[in-house]
Amino acid sequence: MLRRFHQFWIRLLTPVAKFLLRVGIGPDVVTLVGTLGVIGGAIGFYPRGEFFWGTVVVTAFVFSDMVDGLMARMQKRESNWGAFLDSTLDRLGDAAIFGGWTLWYATGGDNYFLACVSLYVLIMGSVTSYAKARAESLGMTANVGIAERADRLVTALVACGLTGLAIDFGIPYGDLLLPIVLCALAVASTVTVFQRIFTVRRQALGKQEEAR
């Protein structure tokens, strides 16, 4: 389902990518602007408890992650530099989103437990990405896990936006959706990290056996 969702937005954003290239804007600029927009939206809205409008702004800039990739492929300029820049700035965007929720629950939201959960999800998301990158740098793979970055981000943003709407319209217990999703992501991220650890360990032991 996530794949079909991705393909839908790729088709929708292709004209945007073509237009930006036509006016002389490069994919690296789109990557940078998109990241600044995500950070600004997350830090500007989430710590104040403005979940719906914060999610609207963040989601608008998250789509730049698709646009810059489309632009690079259209130019046939996909490069290690572009991939590095994109992945590095993705981490900053994720930190702003989950960090914004952490700040809200630690201050105005007045919920120390959920502040810790949000921070934990942020940390485990970074570890998940690091485990994959480190495995690949050692000549192994870690393409496993029940909570990839895209899954975590889409699920969390949808939950946040719906939570914001529920709060704005005074729907009873509507503010529970994001906390439930954050707790679920905490579990899923932990499972994913261990899945990747065990996968890499199996490969490493296999290489040791072959070397004997």
Side-chain angles (χ1 to χ4, degrees), residues 45-185:
F45 288 91
Y46 290 153
R48 295 186 293 168
E50 297 183 17
F51 289 167
F52 177 72
W53 289 112
T55 300
V56 170
V57 173
V58 168
T59 301
F61 284 102
V62 161
F63 284 124
S64 67
D65 198 40
M66 295 184 185
V67 175
D68 58 8
L70 275 172
M71 294 170 69
R73 287 192 289 275
M74 288 175 183
Q75 287 185 317
K76 297 182 179 179
R77 286 178 52 192
E78 293 181 274
S79 64
N80 290 335
W81 159 247
F84 169 80
L85 180 66
D86 189 54
S87 296
T88 300
L89 294 185
D90 280 348
R91 303 288 83 73
L92 292 177
D94 292 355
I97 293 169
F98 288 95
W101 295 331
T102 300
L103 289 173
W104 164 249
Y105 286 120
T107 55
D110 193 25
N111 193 315
Y112 180 75
F113 171 74
L114 289 178
C116 291
V117 171
S118 184
L119 181 60
Y120 180 80
V121 174
L122 168 59
I123 293 169
M124 294 305 285
S126 297
V127 174
T128 299
S129 298
Y130 174 79
K132 180 179 179 179
R134 183 58 175 155
E136 291 174 349
S137 73
L138 295 172
M140 294 177 282
T141 60
N143 299 318
V144 296
I146 62 173
E148 295 281 352
R149 176 183 180 265
D151 301 323
R152 295 193 308 271
L153 195 58
V154 170
T155 303
L157 287 176
V158 169
C160 184
L162 292 176
T163 297
L165 279 176
I167 293 172
D168 291 344
F169 284 98
I171 298 175
Y173 306 110
D175 59 339
L176 295 179
L177 181 57
L178 181 58
I180 290 172
V181 168
L182 286 174
C183 290
L185 289 178

